[in-house]
Amino acid sequence: MSQSILIRGGTVVNADCETRADVLCIDGVIAAVGEGAAALAPAGCEVLDASGQYVVPGGIDPHTHMQLPFMGTVTMDDFYTGTAAALAGGTTSIIDFVIPNPQQPLMEAYRTWREWAEKSASDYSFHVAITWWDESVRHDMGTLVREEGVNSFKHFMAYKNAIMCDDETLVNSFRRALELGAMPTVHAENGELVYLLQQEVQKMGITGPEGHPLSRPPMVEGEAANRAIAIADVLGVPIYVVHVSCIESAEAIARARARGQRVYGEVLAGHLIVDDSVYRDPDFTKAAAHVMSPPFRPKEHQEALWRGLQSGQLHTTATDHCTFCAEQKRAGAENFAKIPNGTGGVEERMAVLWTAGVNTGRLTPSEWVAITSANAAKLFNIYPKKGCIAVGADADLVLWDPAGTKTLSVKTQHSKGDYNIFEGMALTGVPSHTISQGRLVYANGDLRAVRGAGRYIKRPAFGSGFAAAEKRARELAPTAVVRT
Ligand code: DUC
Ligand code: ZN
Ligand code: ZN
Ligand code: ZN
């Protein structure tokens, strides 16, 4: 049976325009936008009144870790609970990560994650992490791009003795990504420095969570961002830096972009709001709940991140949603380096950015759409199917009530985590309805997420215009000397 929803009287906001328009969704796709939409509504069509509300593309969180086995444990939220929480907050797609153990065949890890994700309530996709290198990895990257719709590969420059990439792997993988038309992405922190600093901080007698930011200072992130950007420049491949948290890496990106390099940056909602004072909380549980990497930073870094988003030097917002409960965090009671790294946010991201971004005048509603959905869709090549309200696009939409209020709390969140890093934050501007695949999945507090309803999103490779390699070839060619 055909299912249809007509959204009447709202203001449609895309990344490039804001207009009063009705929107008709039929069978999971946007069938009409604008004046004629109501006339096309089939008999029995559900009608939602959006007067006084914005109608915006469903959010895309391009960085989550549901059901992640990490640091000796597994995150609280699995693909069902995590994506259900996402839907409650207006996020209708996530891009999660396949993270193979070193030496594990890529395709084996990929199939495992695909299976885990079948219970997702929202649409989902995967970046695949490159954690080691040999010919089989090169081969499997090709299979993933050509057959599985993976167009981005992640590189952890931190987590020594676990999933960290050395420069040899970075160079090989970036070059292979370029060949395939896939985007390399990096977690930029110098893992050797983190490893050394963790031991030095411990030797000083600092074993609690306050040691975590001391072992991962901003320059550690700046160094890695600069190195990854330099490698990408030499190879002529674009690069996306995940969770840019500080001035040092934001400036590395801005400098490279000023040189004409294709570099993109992602900011986490948490890094914009929470500062490093949380690590000095005398309550271990609270301090440890905030342990994630990169760590929360002093306030001046937050200002730089906002400026980056406002100026267009930084492009997407995400959460790195990766929830561990208090009991799991206690694994690091004697040593901060053993506290499982991760915090939540997938449900809160869009509203937090509205309150702290749009209500403060930092962002227009269209700019907010750009950084909560459209830019991620463009950078990972699923636009305008996702991230846009237009005829033919997926019917992933949110009715956004700019006057709606809510105070964030662990008591009311849908995530299975037992902590909320935004606890007590008063929001003005909240989702009233979320529509995913043309189905109403959230309505004024009533979450109707369906286990297994989410679909895997294939993301096609980029074409040859993606590369800066020809520029590099031209630069090198004239230096060849003909000797007689
Ligand atoms: N950082 C985290 O805090 N958790 C998961 C992985 C990461 O890089
Ligand atoms: Zn093959
Ligand atoms: Zn990371
Ligand atoms: Zn992450």
Side-chain angles (χ1 to χ4, degrees):
M1 202 187 79
S2 122
Q3 187 168 22
S4 54
I5 300 180
L6 176 67
I7 304 163
R8 294 200 80 152
T11 299
V12 171
V13 186
N14 274 318
D16 59 352
C17 61
E18 195 177 309
T19 49
R20 285 294 295 270
D22 297 341
V23 182
L24 176 64
C25 309
I26 301 181
D27 290 339
V29 175
I30 297 177
V33 182
E35 287 200 349
L40 293 171
C45 183
E46 180 168 6
V47 179
L48 295 178
D49 176 15
S51 49
Q53 300 199 53
Y54 292 107
V55 183
V56 303
I60 300 172
D61 188 334
H63 189 157
T64 64
H65 302 281
M66 307 307 175
Q67 212 167 328
L68 177 68
F70 191 56
M71 296 182 73
T73 185
V74 180
T75 56
M76 294 291 289
D77 276 315
D78 64 18
F79 278 92
Y80 172 60
T81 63
T83 53
L87 292 172
T91 288
T92 51
S93 303
I94 60 165
I95 314 182
D96 206 276
F97 294 81
V98 172
I99 309 183
N101 290 316
Q103 310 308 317
Q104 183 184 19
L106 247 58
M107 296 310 295
E108 179 190 291
Y110 171 75
R111 285 190 197 102
T112 302
W113 257 268
R114 282 292 303 270
E115 215 169 281
W116 288 341
E118 278 171 11
K119 60 174 94 59
S120 297
S122 79
D123 286 355
Y124 57 93
S125 194
F126 285 112
H127 310 281
V128 174
I130 301 303
T131 54
W132 61 293
W133 190 259
D134 77 352
E135 274 307 305
S136 79
V137 174
R138 178 194 304 279
H139 176 269
D140 287 354
M141 286 174 76
T143 307
L144 287 165
V145 172
R146 296 190 191 106
E147 295 168 25
E148 302 297 332
V150 171
N151 69 13
S152 51
F153 293 96
K154 167 81 171 282
H155 307 79
F156 288 92
M157 298 171 79
Y159 301 112
K160 181 177 160 74
N161 297 332
I163 52 177
M164 184 171 90
C165 271
D166 57 13
D167 282 4
E168 182 183 3
T169 299
L170 283 182
V171 168
N172 282 321
S173 176
F174 282 21
R175 158 116 336 154
R176 179 63 168 149
L178 172 65
E179 210 170 271
L180 294 166
M183 178 82 85
T185 80
V186 287
H187 168 131
E189 282 186 306
N190 183 313
E192 295 294 343
L193 279 172
V194 170
Y195 186 73
L196 179 79
L197 293 177
Q198 283 177 334
Q199 290 165 61
E200 294 200 351
V201 171
Q202 297 270 350
K203 269 191 222 139
M204 289 164 63
I206 303 172
T207 58
E210 68 279 18
H212 176 68
L214 301 176
S215 69
R216 311 179 94 102
M219 194 53 84
V220 160
E221 181 178 327
E223 187 284 325
N226 272 299
R227 178 158 39 104
I229 289 168
I231 293 171
D233 186 35
V234 170
L235 298 177
V237 65
I239 184 169
Y240 176 96
V241 182
V242 309
H243 51 45
V244 174
S245 77
C246 63
I247 294 167
E248 284 75 356
S249 52
E251 286 183 345
I253 292 170
R255 270 196 305 275
R257 291 177 61 81
R259 291 195 305 265
Q261 197 181 337
R262 225 165 266 150
V263 182
Y264 306 99
E266 168 193 281
V267 180
L268 304 185
H271 282 134
L272 290 165
I273 305 293
V274 180
D275 68 56
D276 65 337
S277 60
V278 293
Y279 298 118
R280 297 186 291 276
D281 196 301
D283 179 346
F284 173 86
T285 301
K286 280 194 188 164
H290 293 93
V291 168
M292 55 114 31
S293 297
F296 296 115
R297 304 292 192 190
K299 287 203 185 304
E300 64 267 26
H301 295 278
Q302 298 176 340
E303 283 310 314
L305 300 180
W306 280 115
R307 284 196 299 274
L309 289 169
Q310 290 169 250
S311 64
Q313 297 291 10
L314 299 173
H315 307 86
T316 61
T317 57
T319 58
D320 208 353
H321 187 90
C322 185
T323 50
F324 297 107
C325 69
E327 192 191 320
Q328 292 173 303
K329 294 270 183 179
R330 288 215 66 84
E334 310 295 325
N335 176 358
F336 64 81
K338 296 197 170 140
I339 300 172
N341 284 203
T343 55
V346 74
E347 179 173 356
E348 295 86 8
R349 177 186 65 122
M350 294 182 79
V352 160
L353 278 153
W354 184 278
T355 287
V358 178
N359 293 347
T360 55
R362 283 173 170 134
L363 302 169
T364 65
S366 280
E367 288 164 348
W368 173 85
V369 166
I371 64 163
T372 55
S373 65
N375 288 353
K378 289 175 189 174
L379 287 168
F380 296 111
N381 210 18
I382 46 174
Y383 189 87
K385 183 177 157 66
K386 303 285 190 193
C388 183
I389 297 181
V391 173
D394 283 359
D396 292 347
L397 307 153
V398 186
L399 271 61
W400 196 267
D401 179 1
T405 59
K406 180 176 179 176
T407 300
L408 291 174
S409 173
V410 67
K411 296 193 189 96
T412 48
Q413 73 186 16
H414 293 86
S415 161
K416 270 182 75 188
D418 63 357
Y419 199 83
N420 190 314
I421 57 167
F422 305 109
E423 185 73 35
M425 184 172 172
L427 302 174
T428 302
V430 296
S432 71
H433 296 75
T434 306
I435 295 165
S436 165
Q437 304 175 21
R439 281 190 315 107
L440 191 57
V441 290
Y442 175 81
N444 293 313
D446 175 20
L447 180 59
R448 308 172 194 173
V450 177
R451 190 182 179 92
R455 299 166 302 187
Y456 175 67
I457 310 164
K458 282 194 166 190
R459 298 175 291 121
F462 297 92
S464 58
F466 167 75
E470 286 184 27
K471 160 183 155 257
R472 197 56 57 187
R474 277 197 305 277
E475 282 169 6
L476 296 176
T479 62
V481 175
V482 181
R483 295 196 174 83
T484 51

mmCIF file with all atom_site columns, all heavy atoms in Angstrom, residues 313-324:
data_model
loop_
_atom_site.group_PDB
_atom_site.id
_atom_site.type_symbol
_atom_site.label_atom_id
_atom_site.label_alt_id
_atom_site.label_comp_id
_atom_site.label_asym_id
_atom_site.label_entity_id
_atom_site.label_seq_id
_atom_site.pdbx_PDB_ins_code
_atom_site.Cartn_x
_atom_site.Cartn_y
_atom_site.Cartn_z
_atom_site.occupancy
_atom_site.B_iso_or_equiv
_atom_site.pdbx_formal_charge
_atom_site.auth_seq_id
_atom_site.auth_comp_id
_atom_site.auth_asym_id
_atom_site.auth_atom_id
_atom_site.pdbx_PDB_model_num
ATOM 1  N N   . GLN A 1 313 ? 35.393 27.441 6.525  1.00 0.00 ? 313 GLN A N   1
ATOM 2  C CA  . GLN A 1 313 ? 36.681 26.718 6.519  1.00 0.00 ? 313 GLN A CA  1
ATOM 3  C C   . GLN A 1 313 ? 36.511 25.322 7.141  1.00 0.00 ? 313 GLN A C   1
ATOM 4  O O   . GLN A 1 313 ? 37.321 24.436 6.923  1.00 0.00 ? 313 GLN A O   1
ATOM 5  C CB  . GLN A 1 313 ? 37.749 27.496 7.306  1.00 0.00 ? 313 GLN A CB  1
ATOM 6  C CG  . GLN A 1 313 ? 38.090 28.849 6.720  1.00 0.00 ? 313 GLN A CG  1
ATOM 7  C CD  . GLN A 1 313 ? 38.821 28.749 5.404  1.00 0.00 ? 313 GLN A CD  1
ATOM 8  O OE1 . GLN A 1 313 ? 38.936 27.685 4.807  1.00 0.00 ? 313 GLN A OE1 1
ATOM 9  N NE2 . GLN A 1 313 ? 39.304 29.874 4.928  1.00 0.00 ? 313 GLN A NE2 1
ATOM 10 N N   . LEU A 1 314 ? 35.469 25.155 7.965  1.00 0.00 ? 314 LEU A N   1
ATOM 11 C CA  . LEU A 1 314 ? 35.109 23.851 8.508  1.00 0.00 ? 314 LEU A CA  1
ATOM 12 C C   . LEU A 1 314 ? 33.699 23.549 8.001  1.00 0.00 ? 314 LEU A C   1
ATOM 13 O O   . LEU A 1 314 ? 32.913 24.485 7.794  1.00 0.00 ? 314 LEU A O   1
ATOM 14 C CB  . LEU A 1 314 ? 35.175 23.868 10.038 1.00 0.00 ? 314 LEU A CB  1
ATOM 15 C CG  . LEU A 1 314 ? 36.567 24.188 10.610 1.00 0.00 ? 314 LEU A CG  1
ATOM 16 C CD1 . LEU A 1 314 ? 36.518 24.355 12.133 1.00 0.00 ? 314 LEU A CD1 1
ATOM 17 C CD2 . LEU A 1 314 ? 37.581 23.095 10.238 1.00 0.00 ? 314 LEU A CD2 1
ATOM 18 N N   . HIS A 1 315 ? 33.388 22.287 7.782  1.00 0.00 ? 315 HIS A N   1
ATOM 19 C CA  . HIS A 1 315 ? 32.254 21.994 6.904  1.00 0.00 ? 315 HIS A CA  1
ATOM 20 C C   . HIS A 1 315 ? 31.090 21.207 7.458  1.00 0.00 ? 315 HIS A C   1
ATOM 21 O O   . HIS A 1 315 ? 29.965 21.358 7.020  1.00 0.00 ? 315 HIS A O   1
ATOM 22 C CB  . HIS A 1 315 ? 32.800 21.273 5.654  1.00 0.00 ? 315 HIS A CB  1
ATOM 23 C CG  . HIS A 1 315 ? 33.893 22.060 5.036  1.00 0.00 ? 315 HIS A CG  1
ATOM 24 N ND1 . HIS A 1 315 ? 35.206 21.952 5.446  1.00 0.00 ? 315 HIS A ND1 1
ATOM 25 C CD2 . HIS A 1 315 ? 33.857 23.021 4.111  1.00 0.00 ? 315 HIS A CD2 1
ATOM 26 C CE1 . HIS A 1 315 ? 35.943 22.810 4.779  1.00 0.00 ? 315 HIS A CE1 1
ATOM 27 N NE2 . HIS A 1 315 ? 35.160 23.469 3.966  1.00 0.00 ? 315 HIS A NE2 1
ATOM 28 N N   . THR A 1 316 ? 31.403 20.285 8.364  1.00 0.00 ? 316 THR A N   1
ATOM 29 C CA  . THR A 1 316 ? 30.344 19.398 8.839  1.00 0.00 ? 316 THR A CA  1
ATOM 30 C C   . THR A 1 316 ? 30.344 19.381 10.371 1.00 0.00 ? 316 THR A C   1
ATOM 31 O O   . THR A 1 316 ? 31.342 19.741 11.006 1.00 0.00 ? 316 THR A O   1
ATOM 32 C CB  . THR A 1 316 ? 30.562 17.948 8.359  1.00 0.00 ? 316 THR A CB  1
ATOM 33 O OG1 . THR A 1 316 ? 31.812 17.478 8.884  1.00 0.00 ? 316 THR A OG1 1
ATOM 34 C CG2 . THR A 1 316 ? 30.573 17.854 6.850  1.00 0.00 ? 316 THR A CG2 1
ATOM 35 N N   . THR A 1 317 ? 29.213 18.953 10.925 1.00 0.00 ? 317 THR A N   1
ATOM 36 C CA  . THR A 1 317 ? 29.178 18.697 12.361 1.00 0.00 ? 317 THR A CA  1
ATOM 37 C C   . THR A 1 317 ? 28.772 17.244 12.567 1.00 0.00 ? 317 THR A C   1
ATOM 38 O O   . THR A 1 317 ? 27.981 16.687 11.802 1.00 0.00 ? 317 THR A O   1
ATOM 39 C CB  . THR A 1 317 ? 28.191 19.625 13.091 1.00 0.00 ? 317 THR A CB  1
ATOM 40 O OG1 . THR A 1 317 ? 26.910 19.471 12.513 1.00 0.00 ? 317 THR A OG1 1
ATOM 41 C CG2 . THR A 1 317 ? 28.644 21.071 13.006 1.00 0.00 ? 317 THR A CG2 1
ATOM 42 N N   . ALA A 1 318 ? 29.340 16.659 13.612 1.00 0.00 ? 318 ALA A N   1
ATOM 43 C CA  . ALA A 1 318 ? 29.117 15.242 13.907 1.00 0.00 ? 318 ALA A CA  1
ATOM 44 C C   . ALA A 1 318 ? 29.091 15.084 15.418 1.00 0.00 ? 318 ALA A C   1
ATOM 45 O O   . ALA A 1 318 ? 29.008 16.087 16.151 1.00 0.00 ? 318 ALA A O   1
ATOM 46 C CB  . ALA A 1 318 ? 30.237 14.417 13.282 1.00 0.00 ? 318 ALA A CB  1
ATOM 47 N N   . THR A 1 319 ? 29.121 13.842 15.891 1.00 0.00 ? 319 THR A N   1
ATOM 48 C CA  . THR A 1 319 ? 29.135 13.635 17.343 1.00 0.00 ? 319 THR A CA  1
ATOM 49 C C   . THR A 1 319 ? 30.240 12.697 17.809 1.00 0.00 ? 319 THR A C   1
ATOM 50 O O   . THR A 1 319 ? 30.649 12.769 18.951 1.00 0.00 ? 319 THR A O   1
ATOM 51 C CB  . THR A 1 319 ? 27.809 13.028 17.830 1.00 0.00 ? 319 THR A CB  1
ATOM 52 O OG1 . THR A 1 319 ? 27.592 11.793 17.146 1.00 0.00 ? 319 THR A OG1 1
ATOM 53 C CG2 . THR A 1 319 ? 26.660 13.988 17.597 1.00 0.00 ? 319 THR A CG2 1
ATOM 54 N N   . ASP A 1 320 ? 30.709 11.769 16.947 1.00 0.00 ? 320 ASP A N   1
ATOM 55 C CA  . ASP A 1 320 ? 31.602 10.708 17.418 1.00 0.00 ? 320 ASP A CA  1
ATOM 56 C C   . ASP A 1 320 ? 30.866 9.890  18.493 1.00 0.00 ? 320 ASP A C   1
ATOM 57 O O   . ASP A 1 320 ? 31.490 9.391  19.426 1.00 0.00 ? 320 ASP A O   1
ATOM 58 C CB  . ASP A 1 320 ? 32.905 11.306 17.973 1.00 0.00 ? 320 ASP A CB  1
ATOM 59 C CG  . ASP A 1 320 ? 34.084 10.349 17.847 1.00 0.00 ? 320 ASP A CG  1
ATOM 60 O OD1 . ASP A 1 320 ? 33.864 9.189  17.462 1.00 0.00 ? 320 ASP A OD1 1
ATOM 61 O OD2 . ASP A 1 320 ? 35.210 10.779 18.131 1.00 0.00 ? 320 ASP A OD2 1
ATOM 62 N N   . HIS A 1 321 ? 29.538 9.803  18.342 1.00 0.00 ? 321 HIS A N   1
ATOM 63 C CA  . HIS A 1 321 ? 28.696 9.111  19.337 1.00 0.00 ? 321 HIS A CA  1
ATOM 64 C C   . HIS A 1 321 ? 29.292 7.731  19.649 1.00 0.00 ? 321 HIS A C   1
ATOM 65 O O   . HIS A 1 321 ? 29.385 6.870  18.774 1.00 0.00 ? 321 HIS A O   1
ATOM 66 C CB  . HIS A 1 321 ? 27.274 8.966  18.792 1.00 0.00 ? 321 HIS A CB  1
ATOM 67 C CG  . HIS A 1 321 ? 26.290 8.428  19.786 1.00 0.00 ? 321 HIS A CG  1
ATOM 68 N ND1 . HIS A 1 321 ? 25.560 9.238  20.624 1.00 0.00 ? 321 HIS A ND1 1
ATOM 69 C CD2 . HIS A 1 321 ? 25.930 7.155  20.090 1.00 0.00 ? 321 HIS A CD2 1
ATOM 70 C CE1 . HIS A 1 321 ? 24.782 8.499  21.395 1.00 0.00 ? 321 HIS A CE1 1
ATOM 71 N NE2 . HIS A 1 321 ? 24.985 7.226  21.095 1.00 0.00 ? 321 HIS A NE2 1
ATOM 72 N N   . CYS A 1 322 ? 29.699 7.525  20.878 1.00 0.00 ? 322 CYS A N   1
ATOM 73 C CA  . CYS A 1 322 ? 30.465 6.327  21.263 1.00 0.00 ? 322 CYS A CA  1
ATOM 74 C C   . CYS A 1 322 ? 30.318 6.207  22.769 1.00 0.00 ? 322 CYS A C   1
ATOM 75 O O   . CYS A 1 322 ? 31.116 6.700  23.539 1.00 0.00 ? 322 CYS A O   1
ATOM 76 C CB  . CYS A 1 322 ? 31.932 6.560  20.861 1.00 0.00 ? 322 CYS A CB  1
ATOM 77 S SG  . CYS A 1 322 ? 33.046 5.180  21.104 1.00 0.00 ? 322 CYS A SG  1
ATOM 78 N N   . THR A 1 323 ? 29.200 5.572  23.200 1.00 0.00 ? 323 THR A N   1
ATOM 79 C CA  . THR A 1 323 ? 28.812 5.676  24.604 1.00 0.00 ? 323 THR A CA  1
ATOM 80 C C   . THR A 1 323 ? 29.314 4.510  25.449 1.00 0.00 ? 323 THR A C   1
ATOM 81 O O   . THR A 1 323 ? 29.113 3.339  25.113 1.00 0.00 ? 323 THR A O   1
ATOM 82 C CB  . THR A 1 323 ? 27.276 5.707  24.721 1.00 0.00 ? 323 THR A CB  1
ATOM 83 O OG1 . THR A 1 323 ? 26.738 4.619  23.960 1.00 0.00 ? 323 THR A OG1 1
ATOM 84 C CG2 . THR A 1 323 ? 26.709 7.005  24.182 1.00 0.00 ? 323 THR A CG2 1
ATOM 85 N N   . PHE A 1 324 ? 29.951 4.856  26.559 1.00 0.00 ? 324 PHE A N   1
ATOM 86 C CA  . PHE A 1 324 ? 30.345 3.869  27.566 1.00 0.00 ? 324 PHE A CA  1
ATOM 87 C C   . PHE A 1 324 ? 29.745 4.306  28.894 1.00 0.00 ? 324 PHE A C   1
ATOM 88 O O   . PHE A 1 324 ? 29.708 5.495  29.194 1.00 0.00 ? 324 PHE A O   1
ATOM 89 C CB  . PHE A 1 324 ? 31.873 3.806  27.686 1.00 0.00 ? 324 PHE A CB  1
ATOM 90 C CG  . PHE A 1 324 ? 32.549 3.344  26.415 1.00 0.00 ? 324 PHE A CG  1
ATOM 91 C CD1 . PHE A 1 324 ? 33.241 4.245  25.621 1.00 0.00 ? 324 PHE A CD1 1
ATOM 92 C CD2 . PHE A 1 324 ? 32.467 2.024  26.008 1.00 0.00 ? 324 PHE A CD2 1
ATOM 93 C CE1 . PHE A 1 324 ? 33.854 3.831  24.438 1.00 0.00 ? 324 PHE A CE1 1
ATOM 94 C CE2 . PHE A 1 324 ? 33.080 1.599  24.837 1.00 0.00 ? 324 PHE A CE2 1
ATOM 95 C CZ  . PHE A 1 324 ? 33.773 2.503  24.042 1.00 0.00 ? 324 PHE A CZ  1
#
